[in-house]
Coordinates of all heavy atoms in Angstrom, one line a residue:
M1 N 7.6 26.3 -61.1 CA 6.7 27.0 -60.2 C 5.3 27.1 -60.9 O 5.1 27.8 -61.9 CB 7.2 28.4 -59.9 CG 6.3 29.1 -59.0 SD 6.9 30.8 -58.5 CE 7.7 30.4 -57.0
F2 N 4.4 26.3 -60.5 CA 3.1 26.3 -61.0 C 3.0 26.2 -62.4 O 2.2 26.9 -63.1 CB 2.3 27.6 -60.5 CG 2.3 27.7 -59.0 CD1 3.0 28.7 -58.4 CD2 1.6 26.9 -58.2 CE1 3.0 28.9 -57.0 CE2 1.7 27.0 -56.8 CZ 2.3 28.1 -56.3
G3 N 3.7 25.3 -63.1 CA 3.6 25.1 -64.5 C 4.6 25.8 -65.3 O 4.7 25.7 -66.6
S4 N 5.3 26.7 -64.7 CA 6.3 27.5 -65.4 C 7.6 26.8 -65.6 O 8.0 25.9 -64.8 CB 6.6 28.8 -64.7 OG 7.4 29.7 -65.4
R5 N 8.3 27.0 -66.7 CA 9.6 26.4 -67.0 C 10.7 27.3 -67.4 O 11.1 28.1 -66.7 CB 9.4 25.2 -67.9 CG 8.3 24.2 -67.4 CD 8.6 22.8 -67.8 NE 7.6 22.1 -67.2 CZ 7.5 20.9 -67.3 NH1 8.2 20.2 -68.2 NH2 6.5 20.2 -66.7
E6 N 11.2 27.1 -68.7 CA 12.2 27.9 -69.2 C 11.9 29.4 -69.3 O 12.9 30.2 -69.4 CB 12.8 27.4 -70.5 CG 11.8 27.4 -71.7 CD 10.8 26.1 -71.7 OE1 11.0 25.2 -70.9 OE2 9.8 26.2 -72.5
N7 N 10.7 29.8 -69.4 CA 10.4 31.2 -69.5 C 10.2 32.0 -68.2 O 9.9 33.2 -68.2 CB 9.1 31.4 -70.4 CG 9.4 31.0 -71.8 OD1 10.5 31.2 -72.3 ND2 8.4 30.3 -72.4
L8 N 10.4 31.2 -67.1 CA 10.2 31.8 -65.8 C 11.3 32.9 -65.5 O 12.4 32.7 -65.7 CB 10.3 30.8 -64.6 CG 10.2 31.2 -63.3 CD1 8.8 31.9 -62.9 CD2 10.5 30.1 -62.3
H9 N 10.9 34.1 -65.0 CA 11.8 35.1 -64.7 C 11.5 35.6 -63.3 O 10.3 36.0 -63.1 CB 11.7 36.3 -65.7 CG 12.7 37.3 -65.5 ND1 14.0 37.2 -65.6 CD2 12.5 38.6 -65.0 CE1 14.6 38.4 -65.4 NE2 13.7 39.2 -65.0
L10 N 12.4 35.7 -62.4 CA 12.2 36.0 -61.0 C 13.2 37.2 -60.7 O 14.3 37.2 -61.1 CB 12.6 35.0 -60.0 CG 11.8 33.7 -60.1 CD1 12.3 32.6 -59.1 CD2 10.4 33.9 -59.8
I11 N 12.6 38.2 -60.1 CA 13.4 39.4 -59.5 C 13.2 39.4 -58.1 O 12.1 39.7 -57.6 CB 13.1 40.7 -60.2 CG1 13.3 40.6 -61.7 CG2 13.9 41.8 -59.6 CD1 12.9 41.8 -62.5
E12 N 14.3 39.0 -57.2 CA 14.2 39.1 -55.8 C 14.9 40.3 -55.2 O 15.9 40.7 -55.7 CB 14.8 37.8 -55.3 CG 14.1 36.5 -55.7 CD 14.8 35.3 -55.1 OE1 16.0 35.1 -55.5 OE2 14.2 34.6 -54.2
R13 N 14.3 40.8 -54.2 CA 14.7 42.0 -53.5 C 14.8 41.8 -52.0 O 13.7 41.5 -51.5 CB 14.0 43.3 -53.9 CG 14.2 43.7 -55.3 CD 13.5 45.1 -55.5 NE 13.7 45.5 -56.9 CZ 12.9 45.3 -57.9 NH1 11.7 44.7 -57.6 NH2 13.1 45.7 -59.2
W14 N 15.9 42.0 -51.4 CA 15.9 42.0 -49.9 C 16.3 43.4 -49.5 O 17.2 44.0 -49.9 CB 17.0 41.1 -49.4 CG 16.7 39.7 -49.5 CD1 17.1 38.8 -50.6 CD2 16.0 38.8 -48.6 NE1 16.6 37.6 -50.3 CE2 15.9 37.6 -49.2 CE3 15.4 39.1 -47.3 CZ2 15.4 36.5 -48.5 CZ3 14.8 38.0 -46.7 CH2 14.8 36.7 -47.3
T15 N 15.3 44.0 -48.7 CA 15.6 45.4 -48.2 C 15.5 45.6 -46.7 O 14.5 45.1 -46.1 CB 14.4 46.3 -48.9 OG1 14.4 46.1 -50.2 CG2 14.7 47.8 -48.6
R16 N 16.5 46.2 -46.1 CA 16.4 46.5 -44.7 C 15.5 47.7 -44.5 O 15.7 48.7 -45.0 CB 17.8 46.8 -44.1 CG 17.8 47.0 -42.6 CD 19.2 47.1 -42.0 NE 19.9 45.8 -42.2 CZ 19.8 44.8 -41.3 NH1 18.9 44.8 -40.4 NH2 20.6 43.7 -41.5
T17 N 14.5 47.4 -43.7 CA 13.4 48.4 -43.5 C 13.5 49.0 -42.1 O 12.8 49.9 -41.8 CB 12.0 47.9 -43.7 OG1 11.9 46.7 -42.8 CG2 11.8 47.4 -45.1
G18 N 14.4 48.5 -41.3 CA 14.6 49.0 -39.9 C 15.7 48.2 -39.3 O 16.3 47.3 -39.9
P19 N 16.2 48.7 -38.0 CA 17.2 47.9 -37.4 C 17.0 46.5 -37.2 O 18.0 45.7 -37.0 CB 17.4 48.7 -36.1 CG 16.2 49.6 -36.0 CD 15.5 49.7 -37.3
K20 N 15.7 46.0 -37.1 CA 15.4 44.7 -36.8 C 14.4 44.0 -37.8 O 13.9 43.0 -37.5 CB 14.9 44.5 -35.4 CG 15.9 44.8 -34.3 CD 15.4 44.6 -33.0 CE 16.3 44.9 -31.8 NZ 15.9 44.5 -30.5
T21 N 14.3 44.7 -38.9 CA 13.3 44.2 -39.9 C 14.0 44.1 -41.3 O 14.8 44.9 -41.7 CB 12.1 45.0 -40.0 OG1 12.4 46.3 -40.2 CG2 11.3 44.9 -38.7
L22 N 13.6 43.1 -42.1 CA 13.9 42.9 -43.5 C 12.6 42.7 -44.3 O 11.7 42.1 -43.8 CB 14.8 41.7 -43.8 CG 16.3 41.7 -43.3 CD1 16.9 40.4 -43.5 CD2 17.0 42.7 -44.2
A23 N 12.6 43.2 -45.5 CA 11.5 43.0 -46.4 C 12.0 42.2 -47.6 O 13.1 42.5 -48.2 CB 10.9 44.3 -46.9
Y24 N 11.3 41.2 -47.9 CA 11.6 40.3 -49.1 C 10.5 40.5 -50.1 O 9.3 40.5 -49.7 CB 11.7 38.9 -48.6 CG 11.8 37.9 -49.8 CD1 13.0 37.9 -50.5 CD2 10.8 37.0 -50.1 CE1 13.2 37.0 -51.6 CE2 10.9 36.2 -51.2 CZ 12.2 36.1 -51.9 OH 12.2 35.3 -53.0
E25 N 10.9 40.7 -51.3 CA 9.9 40.8 -52.4 C 10.3 40.2 -53.6 O 11.5 40.2 -54.0 CB 9.6 42.4 -52.7 CG 8.6 42.7 -53.7 CD 8.5 44.3 -53.9 OE1 8.7 44.9 -52.9 OE2 8.2 44.5 -55.1
V26 N 9.5 39.4 -54.2 CA 9.9 38.7 -55.6 C 8.8 39.0 -56.5 O 7.6 38.8 -56.3 CB 10.1 37.2 -55.3 CG1 8.8 36.5 -54.8 CG2 10.6 36.5 -56.5
L27 N 9.2 39.4 -57.7 CA 8.4 39.6 -58.9 C 8.5 38.3 -59.8 O 9.6 37.9 -60.1 CB 8.8 40.9 -59.7 CG 8.1 41.1 -61.0 CD1 6.7 41.5 -60.7 CD2 8.8 42.1 -61.9
I28 N 7.4 37.7 -60.0 CA 7.3 36.4 -60.8 C 6.7 36.7 -62.1 O 5.5 37.2 -62.2 CB 6.6 35.4 -60.1 CG1 7.3 35.3 -58.6 CG2 6.6 34.1 -60.8 CD1 6.5 34.5 -57.6
E29 N 7.4 36.3 -63.2 CA 6.7 36.5 -64.5 C 7.1 35.3 -65.4 O 8.2 34.8 -65.4 CB 7.0 37.8 -65.2 CG 8.4 38.1 -65.4 CD 8.7 39.5 -66.0 OE1 7.7 40.1 -66.4 OE2 9.8 40.0 -65.9
D30 N 6.1 34.9 -66.2 CA 6.2 34.0 -67.3 C 5.0 34.1 -68.2 O 3.9 33.7 -68.0 CB 6.3 32.5 -66.7 CG 6.6 31.5 -67.9 OD1 6.4 31.8 -69.1 OD2 6.9 30.4 -67.5
P31 N 5.2 34.8 -69.3 CA 4.1 35.1 -70.2 C 3.5 33.9 -70.9 O 2.3 34.0 -71.3 CB 4.7 36.1 -71.2 CG 6.2 35.9 -71.2 CD 6.4 35.4 -69.8
T32 N 4.1 32.8 -70.8 CA 3.5 31.6 -71.4 C 2.6 30.9 -70.3 O 1.8 30.0 -70.8 CB 4.7 30.6 -71.7 OG1 5.4 30.2 -70.6 CG2 5.5 31.0 -72.8
V33 N 2.6 31.4 -69.0 CA 1.8 30.7 -68.0 C 0.7 31.8 -67.5 O -0.4 31.4 -67.3 CB 2.6 30.2 -66.9 CG1 1.7 29.6 -65.8 CG2 3.6 29.1 -67.5
W34 N 1.1 32.9 -67.2 CA 0.3 33.9 -66.5 C 0.0 35.1 -67.5 O 0.9 35.5 -68.3 CB 0.9 34.4 -65.3 CG 1.2 33.4 -64.3 CD1 0.2 32.6 -63.6 CD2 2.4 32.8 -63.8 NE1 0.8 31.7 -62.8 CE2 2.1 31.8 -63.0 CE3 3.7 33.1 -64.2 CZ2 3.2 31.1 -62.4 CZ3 4.7 32.4 -63.5 CH2 4.5 31.4 -62.6
I35 N -1.0 35.8 -67.4 CA -1.4 36.9 -68.2 C -0.5 38.2 -67.8 O -0.1 38.9 -68.7 CB -2.9 37.4 -68.0 CG1 -3.8 36.3 -67.6 CG2 -3.3 38.0 -69.3 CD1 -5.2 36.7 -67.4
R36 N -0.2 38.3 -66.6 CA 0.6 39.4 -66.0 C 1.5 38.9 -64.9 O 1.2 38.0 -64.3 CB -0.3 40.6 -65.6 CG -1.2 40.3 -64.5 CD -2.0 41.6 -64.1 NE -2.7 41.4 -62.9 CZ -3.9 40.8 -62.8 NH1 -4.5 40.4 -63.8 NH2 -4.4 40.7 -61.6
P37 N 2.6 39.7 -64.7 CA 3.5 39.3 -63.5 C 2.7 39.5 -62.2 O 1.8 40.2 -62.1 CB 4.7 40.4 -63.7 CG 4.5 41.0 -65.0 CD 3.1 40.8 -65.5
W38 N 3.2 38.7 -61.3 CA 2.7 38.9 -59.9 C 3.9 38.9 -58.9 O 4.9 38.6 -59.2 CB 1.7 37.8 -59.5 CG 2.1 36.4 -59.8 CD1 2.3 35.8 -61.0 CD2 2.3 35.4 -58.9 NE1 2.6 34.5 -60.9 CE2 2.7 34.2 -59.5 CE3 2.4 35.3 -57.5 CZ2 3.0 33.0 -58.9 CZ3 2.7 34.1 -56.8 CH2 3.0 33.1 -57.5
T39 N 3.5 39.5 -57.7 CA 4.5 39.8 -56.7 C 4.1 39.2 -55.4 O 3.0 39.1 -55.0 CB 4.6 41.3 -56.4 OG1 4.9 41.9 -57.7 CG2 5.7 41.6 -55.5
I40 N 5.2 38.7 -54.6 CA 5.0 38.1 -53.3 C 5.9 39.0 -52.4 O 7.0 39.4 -52.7 CB 5.5 36.6 -53.2 CG1 4.7 35.8 -54.1 CG2 5.5 36.2 -51.7 CD1 5.2 34.4 -54.2
K41 N 5.2 39.4 -51.2 CA 6.0 40.2 -50.3 C 5.9 39.5 -48.9 O 4.9 39.0 -48.5 CB 5.4 41.6 -50.1 CG 5.5 42.4 -51.4 CD 4.9 43.8 -51.2 CE 4.9 44.6 -52.6 NZ 4.4 45.9 -52.4
Q42 N 7.0 39.7 -48.2 CA 7.1 39.1 -46.8 C 8.0 39.9 -46.0 O 9.1 40.3 -46.4 CB 7.6 37.6 -46.9 CG 7.9 36.9 -45.5 CD 6.5 36.5 -44.9 OE1 5.7 36.0 -45.6 NE2 6.4 36.8 -43.6
E43 N 7.6 40.2 -44.7 CA 8.4 41.0 -43.9 C 9.0 40.1 -42.7 O 8.3 39.2 -42.2 CB 7.6 42.1 -43.3 CG 8.6 43.1 -42.6 CD 7.9 44.4 -42.2 OE1 7.4 45.0 -43.1 OE2 8.0 44.8 -40.9
F44 N 10.3 40.2 -42.4 CA 11.0 39.4 -41.5 C 11.3 40.2 -40.2 O 11.9 41.4 -40.5 CB 12.2 38.7 -42.0 CG 11.8 37.7 -43.1 CD1 11.8 38.0 -44.4 CD2 11.4 36.3 -42.7 CE1 11.4 37.2 -45.4 CE2 11.1 35.4 -43.7 CZ 11.1 35.9 -45.0
H45 N 11.1 39.8 -39.0 CA 11.4 40.5 -37.8 C 12.6 39.7 -37.1 O 12.4 38.5 -37.0 CB 10.4 40.7 -36.9 CG 9.2 41.5 -37.5 ND1 9.2 42.9 -37.5 CD2 8.1 41.1 -38.2 CE1 8.1 43.3 -38.1 NE2 7.5 42.2 -38.6
R46 N 13.6 40.4 -36.6 CA 14.7 39.7 -35.9 C 14.2 39.2 -34.6 O 13.5 39.9 -33.8 CB 15.8 40.7 -35.6 CG 16.9 40.0 -34.9 CD 18.2 40.8 -34.9 NE 19.3 40.0 -34.4 CZ 19.9 40.3 -33.4 NH1 19.7 41.4 -32.7 NH2 21.0 39.6 -33.0
Q47 N 14.5 37.9 -34.3 CA 14.1 37.3 -33.1 C 15.0 37.8 -32.0 O 16.2 38.2 -32.2 CB 14.2 35.8 -33.1 CG 13.1 35.3 -34.1 CD 13.2 33.8 -34.2 OE1 14.3 33.2 -34.0 NE2 12.1 33.1 -34.4
S48 N 14.6 37.6 -30.7 CA 15.5 37.9 -29.6 C 16.5 36.9 -29.6 O 16.5 35.8 -30.2 CB 14.7 37.9 -28.3 OG 14.3 36.6 -28.0
D49 N 17.7 37.1 -28.9 CA 18.7 36.1 -28.7 C 18.2 34.8 -28.1 O 18.6 33.7 -28.4 CB 19.9 36.7 -27.9 CG 20.6 37.7 -28.7 OD1 20.6 37.7 -29.9 OD2 21.3 38.6 -28.0
E50 N 17.2 34.9 -27.2 CA 16.8 33.7 -26.6 C 15.9 32.8 -27.6 O 16.1 31.7 -27.6 CB 15.8 34.1 -25.4 CG 15.1 32.9 -24.7 CD 16.1 32.0 -24.0 OE1 17.2 32.4 -23.6 OE2 15.8 30.8 -23.8
E51 N 15.1 33.6 -28.4 CA 14.4 32.8 -29.5 C 15.3 32.3 -30.6 O 15.0 31.3 -31.2 CB 13.3 33.7 -30.0 CG 12.2 34.2 -29.1 CD 11.3 35.2 -29.7 OE1 11.8 36.1 -30.3 OE2 10.1 35.1 -29.5
N52 N 16.4 32.9 -30.7 CA 17.3 32.6 -31.9 C 18.4 31.7 -31.5 O 19.4 31.5 -32.1 CB 17.9 33.9 -32.5 CG 18.2 33.8 -33.9 OD1 17.6 33.0 -34.6 ND2 19.3 34.4 -34.3
R53 N 18.4 31.1 -30.2 CA 19.4 30.1 -29.8 C 19.5 28.9 -30.7 O 18.4 28.6 -31.5 CB 19.1 29.8 -28.4 CG 17.9 28.9 -28.2 CD 17.7 28.6 -26.6 NE 16.6 27.8 -26.5 CZ 15.3 28.2 -26.4 NH1 15.1 29.4 -26.7 NH2 14.4 27.3 -26.2
I54 N 20.5 28.3 -30.6 CA 20.7 27.0 -31.5 C 19.7 25.9 -31.1 O 19.5 25.7 -29.8 CB 22.1 26.5 -31.3 CG1 23.1 27.6 -31.9 CG2 22.3 25.2 -32.1 CD1 24.6 27.2 -31.7
Y55 N 19.1 25.3 -31.9 CA 18.1 24.4 -31.7 C 18.7 22.9 -32.2 O 19.1 22.9 -33.4 CB 16.8 24.6 -32.4 CG 15.8 23.4 -32.3 CD1 15.2 23.2 -31.1 CD2 15.6 22.6 -33.4 CE1 14.3 22.1 -31.0 CE2 14.6 21.5 -33.3 CZ 14.0 21.3 -32.2 OH 13.2 20.3 -32.1
Y56 N 18.9 22.1 -31.3 CA 19.4 20.7 -31.7 C 18.2 19.9 -32.0 O 17.5 19.6 -31.1 CB 20.2 20.2 -30.6 CG 21.4 21.1 -30.3 CD1 21.6 21.8 -29.2 CD2 22.5 20.9 -31.2 CE1 22.6 22.6 -29.0 CE2 23.7 21.7 -31.0 CZ 23.8 22.5 -29.9 OH 24.9 23.3 -29.7
E57 N 18.1 19.4 -33.2 CA 17.0 18.6 -33.7 C 17.0 17.3 -33.0 O 18.1 16.6 -32.9 CB 17.2 18.4 -35.2 CG 16.0 17.6 -35.8 CD 16.2 17.4 -37.2 OE1 17.0 18.1 -37.9 OE2 15.5 16.5 -37.8
P58 N 15.9 16.8 -32.5 CA 15.9 15.5 -31.9 C 16.3 14.5 -32.9 O 15.9 14.5 -34.1 CB 14.4 15.2 -31.4 CG 13.7 16.6 -31.7 CD 14.6 17.5 -32.5
R59 N 17.0 13.5 -32.6 CA 17.5 12.5 -33.5 C 16.5 11.3 -33.6 O 16.0 10.9 -32.5 CB 18.9 11.9 -33.1 CG 19.9 13.0 -33.0 CD 20.2 13.5 -34.3 NE 21.3 14.5 -34.3 CZ 21.2 15.7 -34.8 NH1 20.2 16.0 -35.4 NH2 22.2 16.5 -34.7
C60 N 16.4 10.7 -34.8 CA 15.5 9.6 -34.9 C 16.3 8.4 -34.5 O 17.5 8.2 -34.8 CB 15.2 9.5 -36.5 SG 14.2 8.1 -36.8
I61 N 15.7 7.5 -33.7 CA 16.5 6.4 -33.2 C 15.9 5.1 -33.9 O 16.4 4.0 -33.5 CB 16.3 6.3 -31.6 CG1 14.8 6.0 -31.2 CG2 16.9 7.4 -31.0 CD1 14.6 5.7 -29.8
E62 N 15.0 5.2 -34.8 CA 14.6 3.9 -35.4 C 15.8 3.4 -36.3 O 16.3 4.0 -37.0 CB 13.4 4.2 -36.4 CG 12.2 4.6 -35.5 CD 11.0 5.1 -36.4 OE1 11.2 4.9 -37.7 OE2 10.0 5.5 -35.8
G63 N 16.0 2.1 -36.1 CA 17.0 1.4 -36.9 C 18.4 1.8 -36.4 O 19.4 1.5 -37.1
N64 N 18.5 2.5 -35.3 CA 19.9 2.8 -34.8 C 20.3 1.6 -33.9 O 20.0 1.5 -32.7 CB 19.8 4.0 -33.9 CG 21.2 4.6 -33.4 OD1 22.2 3.8 -33.5 ND2 21.2 5.8 -33.0
Y65 N 21.2 0.7 -34.4 CA 21.5 -0.4 -33.7 C 22.6 -0.2 -32.6 O 22.9 -1.0 -31.8 CB 22.0 -1.5 -34.7 CG 20.9 -2.0 -35.7 CD1 21.0 -1.5 -37.0 CD2 19.8 -2.7 -35.2 CE1 19.9 -1.8 -37.9 CE2 18.8 -3.0 -36.1 CZ 18.9 -2.5 -37.4 OH 17.9 -2.9 -38.3
G66 N 23.2 0.9 -32.7 CA 24.2 1.3 -31.7 C 23.6 1.9 -30.4 O 24.2 2.0 -29.4
L67 N 22.3 2.2 -30.5 CA 21.7 2.9 -29.4 C 21.6 2.0 -28.1 O 21.9 2.5 -27.1 CB 20.2 3.3 -29.8 CG 19.5 4.0 -28.7 CD1 20.2 5.4 -28.4 CD2 18.1 4.3 -29.1
P68 N 21.3 0.8 -28.1 CA 21.4 0.0 -26.9 C 22.7 0.0 -26.2 O 22.8 0.2 -25.0 CB 21.0 -1.5 -27.4 CG 20.2 -1.3 -28.6 CD 20.8 0.0 -29.3
G69 N 23.8 -0.1 -27.0 CA 25.1 0.0 -26.4 C 25.4 1.4 -25.8 O 26.0 1.5 -24.7
L70 N 25.0 2.5 -26.5 CA 25.2 3.8 -25.9 C 24.4 3.9 -24.6 O 24.9 4.5 -23.6 CB 24.7 4.8 -26.9 CG 25.5 5.0 -28.2 CD1 24.7 5.9 -29.2 CD2 26.9 5.6 -27.8
L71 N 23.2 3.5 -24.6 CA 22.4 3.5 -23.4 C 23.0 2.7 -22.2 O 23.0 3.2 -21.1 CB 20.9 3.1 -23.7 CG 20.1 4.1 -24.6 CD1 18.8 3.4 -24.8 CD2 19.9 5.4 -24.0
H72 N 23.5 1.5 -22.6 CA 24.0 0.7 -21.5 C 25.3 1.4 -21.0 O 25.5 1.4 -19.8 CB 24.4 -0.7 -22.1 CG 25.1 -1.6 -21.1 ND1 24.4 -2.1 -20.0 CD2 26.4 -2.0 -21.1 CE1 25.3 -2.8 -19.4 NE2 26.5 -2.8 -20.0
G73 N 26.1 1.9 -21.8 CA 27.3 2.6 -21.5 C 27.1 3.7 -20.5 O 27.7 4.0 -19.5
R74 N 26.0 4.5 -20.9 CA 25.6 5.7 -20.1 C 25.2 5.2 -18.7 O 25.4 5.9 -17.7 CB 24.5 6.4 -20.8 CG 24.1 7.7 -20.2 CD 25.1 8.7 -20.1 NE 24.6 9.9 -19.5 CZ 25.4 10.9 -19.0 NH1 26.7 10.8 -19.1 NH2 24.8 11.9 -18.5
R75 N 24.4 4.2 -18.7 CA 23.8 3.7 -17.4 C 25.0 3.1 -16.5 O 24.9 3.3 -15.3 CB 22.8 2.6 -17.6 CG 21.5 3.1 -18.2 CD 20.5 2.1 -18.3 NE 19.4 2.5 -19.1 CZ 19.1 1.9 -20.3 NH1 19.7 0.9 -20.7 NH2 18.0 2.4 -21.0
V76 N 26.0 2.6 -17.1 CA 27.1 2.0 -16.3 C 27.9 3.1 -15.8 O 28.2 3.4 -14.7 CB 28.0 1.1 -17.1 CG1 29.3 0.7 -16.4 CG2 27.2 -0.1 -17.5

């Protein structure tokens, strides 16, 4: 992470801050790279069931040689 290697030390914390929220905090330190430790904080909110539905990723069809047969079979 940003030039850090074997001396990198991370402390991660996940905290429930409410019925629909989580707080993520990570303390990052490496005395060989940075003068002092630093912290990242992020809050997460639960999505509604509609927003959190399963998303089927569109498939790449480049180089899919079986696709013409699949399309032909579907049309028939």
